[in-house]
Amino acid sequence: MRKHYNIIIIGAGPSGLSAATRAAEQSADYLLLEAASAPANTIRHYQRRKLVMAEPRALPLRSPLPFSASLRENVLETWEKIIADYKINIRYNTKVSGISRTAKHLEIQLEDGESFTADNVILAIGVQGNLRKLEIPGGDVPEVQYHLDDPDAYQNETIVVVGGGDTGVENALALTGRNQVMILNRAEDFSNLKDSNLNHLTEARQKGAIDWLLQTKPQSIERNSSGDFPITLFASTPNGIERIPCHRIIARLGALPSRPVLENFGVAFPTADAGALPMLSASYESNVPGLYIIGALAGYPLIKQGINQGYEVIEHILGNPVESADNELLREKFSSFCDDRGVDDVLVKIQKNVPLLAMLSTLQLRELVLESNIVLSEPGDYIFRRNDYSTTFFFIVEGELDVLIDDDEHPDDHLKTGEFFGEMALVSGRRRPGTVRARTKCVLIETPRRLMQKLINSVQSMRRILNEVAIKSVVQICIGLSLDEEELNDVASHAILKSFEAGEELFHEGDDADGLYLIQSGSVTVSRMIAGREVVLFYVAAGNYVGEMSLVSGEPRYATVRAAVATDAVMIKADRMREIIARNPEIRGALDTRYLQHLQDQEKREQLENAPSGGGSLTSQSTQSNLISFLIQQGVGEATDVLLIDESLCVRCNLCEDACANTHGGASRLDRDTGPIFANIRVPTSCRHCEHPHCMKDCPPDAIHRAPHGEVYIDDSCIGCGNCQQNCPYDVIQMAVIHEQPERSLWQMLLGIQPKIPDDTEGTKVAVKCDMCKDIKEGPVCVRACPVGAALRVNPEGLLGYASGTSGEVNLIGANEA
Amino acid sequence: MQRSNIFDYKNYLYFKIAVVIILVAFAAYLIFEPAVGHYGGSFLGYGLGTISALMVLWMAWYGVRKRRYRSSGSTQGWLSAHIYLGTAMTALVTLHSGFHYGMNIHTLAYGLLLVVVASGFFGNYTYMIYPRQMSENMGEDSLDSLLMRIAEADKLARQIALVMPDDINNTVSRACRETSIGLGLIDQLRGYQPNCPSAQAVDDLTAMANELNPEQRKLHRELYTIMVRRLSLVKRARQDLMYRARLGIWLYLHVPFTIALLVAMTAHIVAVFIYW
């Protein structure tokens, strides 16, 4: 067999296949290597009949390898036909163990000892290929599998799932009902799971459908010669070795991280971060000359991107001029402000103007621009206003803008070409703290939060700068005073960013004061031990600070502060803070005022809590702190708008649900009847419009958005995949068929007769959730349809303020609501 | 949480308007007395009658308004107005009649109006009293979950009762078989079953404990606990159905009688103009 090729492509996934097909079309000298015995191994292991999606839709496909959104089976069939038609030079079952650069060419070692040489190597192995195996005695029996293709294929079996991660648990859950399922988890809990999986798992265990062993590792597997069970798994548990006879073991141990593999090949990474991507040139060439990396391994997880890259790399290697597929899209984007130059020139200009973007590689910049909006604004245009909900980030390519922080029309700050803004909403997920208005004609790049976070994770210098800026803004916003630049830099350089899990303590009552905590994102509760029990005194939202009391008094911590939801805080050390206070008397004044106000409020609360019980009004007062705790437990702390039902007024007429269904395609987005109750207040199953919506995390067509007034809604591009439903910890998203609601006659309305509703089984199901009636002029119909005023919508700050207030006086800390 | 309800909506706005309307109407009634005495055909009578008729139509429109979900404003305000102005209208209609009653279409219309208003008052009463009691009775449970737990208790109790003496077995299976929860309107409205077999079973089981051997005694205690818990579930479920029935029943008078009233009122107006 030949040993040298011009091009060797490693990995017959979409990217590799695309490269090979193009190479075959161009009659290039190439070889395609695949570790598995069939092409497209990752897609082959999708669950049966899973829809393979073709995103981003706008991106044109430019490869001889055809691809469109279709069922897994169809996609594979098409590709197998292509491999046959083009007579692709492919070698299956060939595992690469090493790649090294010699003076003349690249050398590829195979696991079986053989080796190849090539002028160019295209690495397209994806991130799923290298699955961790069960390396224990007997681990190679056929009853051990590493995929679950079709959960329905197994009936009445005892199945052990090894691995407490999301994939393992999802597999295990899919098998319950028809099989006995047990999960072995190495860790002592399932804390790494997505919330929805954790909930389903706990539920399944309560029902007895599933069982698990924690801190347990498989030791060995033995075949049974007789009996019902073909194999027995021996596992070490904290209580010794356990024998588990079973039919099948599904091991989901995750993929081996690809970074060590790449580093082994000599590929360099920009940062030490685990999420960092390899450094690549605009033509996907790594720092090892001749070694190209494309597809998921290069940070492009979408199939279409990989296919295009396969094509481009081959063209590049063959010396054909190639424009990347997104060039046309970029040209279109740029056409509005600069159509006289080539795309590359514009990109260079952008990098020259904006230092933060100069930190990105060309590939990263192209991706950023593709996913961003180019905003052109005239003098006087508002980019966003204070209290808007939007989480995009802006780069100023050209022009000047004014920042208005308070209500007057007088600009408080001013931004120039090359600067950026919007970083606060990026971290906190809350309303915009200020208004930004164009002063001159401007060219801005508006980038979605998701993309910014991806970049922050892989570009160290960008992260450092943004962190610093975020700390400065949080100092400015929390303390509410404009320190001079030097002072601000000093504070920022000594501040420490701390992250807290929900329920974790920032500090405890009686501790020594370590510093001032500025809440950057999330929210916290302040509580004290009063009369032998913990009483929640206040709720403090992002953009405020806690811990000033002991800083002012010098005494130990007066109260316990606990994160209500996952919270990021900037801590300024006590001695540093005292220095700053000494230099800035206004800060001292502000802190003192807050301190005295707090003392008064707490005194009032304590009186109420300590008052002898017995009177009705007194018990209702002490339920207020319980009410805060209750609402925090219900996730109100991360909400921006919650529907509540006052059960002491609700006459159960269901008009709220009917109104919702009637105005929203027949599917009510609230469930009046379910949800926990406390002190006559029910939190019904209905969207809370979270600060960082869990539903938005993983939406393939990017169909979930946040409107300027905070409404989280799903647009028409929903493909019905159900990810958001899974990800919502509050179960407020459902899959339903949407149909036009028939107009009701006067008579039907007067008598409350329901018109005939078309059959539910027709049409495709899409995800539906509350959109806060953003398209209906006067706001939420559920509230307006309630004849007795029992349904109310509140923002949690108002509500928690109300609940923690005394006799109706709102005790809201640092309310920055309009 | 203090929330404004339908009565103190906007600081009793519609109550105040209603009081003003009634006072003005009474004052007019006292001041303008026709020579032949008060009657519907007088100048004042026509005025009051016209206003009342328009108000009746407006009251009936509430039924449509509350289901026109896209219309503006809050339904709560409409209901508050519906209640107070409806009451004021009754006073207006009474004055309009000049207290002349007889066996005719006119008095029939008046009678129908009174039924509608009276049923509405009962509705108000239920709206004020029952919501709070309902949530006290149910807590976070739903009726479905109660019924499911009753069914589970039934299954368990029957299983245990199978190995017990016949009299116990009979009592338990009768309780499971014959207990009805909100069967029929009357049962729903009163919220209990006369001679409830479940209550009976608990009483009987207390008496039947004496003739058992030690092994059976242990089972009996378990069975008894189940039956007591089951009885409380049954009572709560019935109670919930009762509240629902009472919150809804008055509408079965209120709405049909409104339709009847609209018909009678039309006849009344037509008659007055034809036989003028």
Side-chain angles (χ1 to χ4, degrees), chain A residues 561-638:
Chain A
V561 172
R562 190 173 275 130
V565 293
T567 296
D568 289 327
V570 171
M571 205 259 288
I572 305 174
K573 283 213 171 116
D575 42 355
R576 175 66 47 180
M577 200 59 215
R578 291 205 184 92
E579 280 173 37
I580 297 168
I581 293 172
R583 283 199 298 269
N584 297 278
E586 323 94 274
I587 296 187
R588 157 118 259 162
L591 286 181
D592 277 350
T593 321
R594 273 274 299 262
Y595 174 66
L596 293 176
Q597 182 62 42
H598 267 182
L599 272 188
Q600 274 181 22
D601 291 344
Q602 298 203 352
E603 198 49 44
K604 239 186 263 176
R605 287 301 303 276
E606 287 198 27
Q607 270 175 11
L608 286 165
E609 297 296 336
N610 283 329
S613 54
S617 69
L618 292 172
T619 36
S620 81
Q621 292 291 5
S622 68
T623 57
Q624 285 183 331
S625 81
N626 295 341
L627 183 56
I628 304 185
S629 311
F630 164 76
L631 291 168
I632 293 286
Q633 269 170 30
Q634 300 316 315
V636 174
E638 63 172 333

Side-chain angles (χ1 to χ4, degrees), chain A residues 53 194 196 694-695 698-700 720-728 735:
Chain A
M53 275 162 316
K194 283 193 228 165
S196 58
H694 301 272
C695 52
D698 188 15
C699 176
C721 69
N723 280 0
C724 53
Q725 187 192 27
Q726 290 276 316
N727 283 336
C728 174
M735 310 305 290

Side-chain angles (χ1 to χ4, degrees), chain B residues 178-227:
Chain B
E178 291 177 15
T179 301
S180 74
I181 298 172
L183 206 67
L185 185 62
I186 303 290
D187 263 8
Q188 279 191 22
L189 282 175
R190 67 182 167 197
Y192 66 91
Q193 182 184 11
N195 307 321
C196 167
S198 294
Q200 194 65 47
V202 170
D203 287 347
D204 290 353
L205 280 177
T206 325
M208 288 168 181
N210 299 329
E211 303 120 41
L212 300 172
N213 64 38
E215 181 62 22
Q216 285 175 326
R217 251 168 221 276
K218 207 174 132 232
L219 281 174
H220 176 268
R221 265 200 301 279
E222 202 179 318
L223 182 62
Y224 187 73
T225 322
I226 294 171
M227 292 304 283

Side-chain angles (χ1 to χ4, degrees), chain A residues 646-648 650-652 655 658-659 662-663 676-677 680 749-752 778 781 784-787 789 792 802, chain B residues 1-3 5-6 60 62-63 67-73 75-76 79 127 131-132 134-135 139-140 247 255:
Chain A
D646 187 336
E647 294 276 302
S648 65
C650 172
V651 295
R652 279 74 169 170
L655 276 180
D658 289 347
N662 200 274
T663 47
I677 303 181
N680 271 326
M749 280 213 246
L750 185 63
L751 297 181
E778 285 197 44
V781 290
R784 289 191 297 117
C786 179
L792 61 147
Y802 193 101
Chain B
M1 297 276 296
Q2 268 103 43
R3 301 261 316 137
N5 57 32
I6 39 181
Y62 170 75
R67 294 192 181 85
R68 276 162 75 115
Y69 303 120
R70 282 177 189 275
S71 48
S72 63
T75 314
Q76 192 191 4
L79 181 55
Y127 276 23
R132 191 175 288 273
M134 271 182 104
S135 32
E140 285 181 20
L247 276 172
V255 177

Side-chain angles (χ1 to χ4, degrees), chain A residues 627 630 644 646-655 658-660 662-664 673 675-682 744 746-754 775-776 778 781 783-792 794 799 802-803 807-808, chain B residues 1-6 9 59-80 123 126-136 138-144 240 243-244 247-248 255-256 258-259 262:
Chain A
L627 183 56
F630 164 76
L644 298 179
D646 187 336
E647 294 276 302
S648 65
L649 293 178
C650 172
V651 295
R652 279 74 169 170
C653 66
N654 241 14
L655 276 180
D658 289 347
C660 184
N662 200 274
T663 47
H664 292 85
D673 220 11
I677 303 181
F678 186 85
N680 271 326
I681 300 294
R682 190 193 282 271
R744 290 205 267 181
L746 215 57
W747 190 245
Q748 281 175 326
M749 280 213 246
L750 185 63
L751 297 181
I753 299 168
Q754 284 295 338
D775 299 325
I776 296 173
E778 285 197 44
V781 290
V783 172
R784 289 191 297 117
C786 179
V788 291
L792 61 147
V794 286
L799 173 82
Y802 193 101
S807 60
Chain B
M1 297 276 296
Q2 268 103 43
R3 301 261 316 137
S4 73
N5 57 32
I6 39 181
Y9 182 79
M59 297 296 146
W61 186 253
Y62 170 75
V64 175
R65 165 60 186 81
K66 72 171 183 176
R67 294 192 181 85
R68 276 162 75 115
Y69 303 120
R70 282 177 189 275
S71 48
S72 63
S74 83
T75 314
Q76 192 191 4
W78 272 77
L79 181 55
S80 187
T126 63
Y127 276 23
M128 269 181 342
I129 304 297
Y130 291 138
R132 191 175 288 273
Q133 293 183 359
M134 271 182 104
S135 32
E136 275 163 15
M138 291 302 267
E140 285 181 20
D141 293 325
S142 66
L143 184 59
D144 286 344
D240 191 56
Y243 292 131
R244 285 169 193 241
L247 276 172
V255 177
T258 300
I259 308 288
L262 289 175

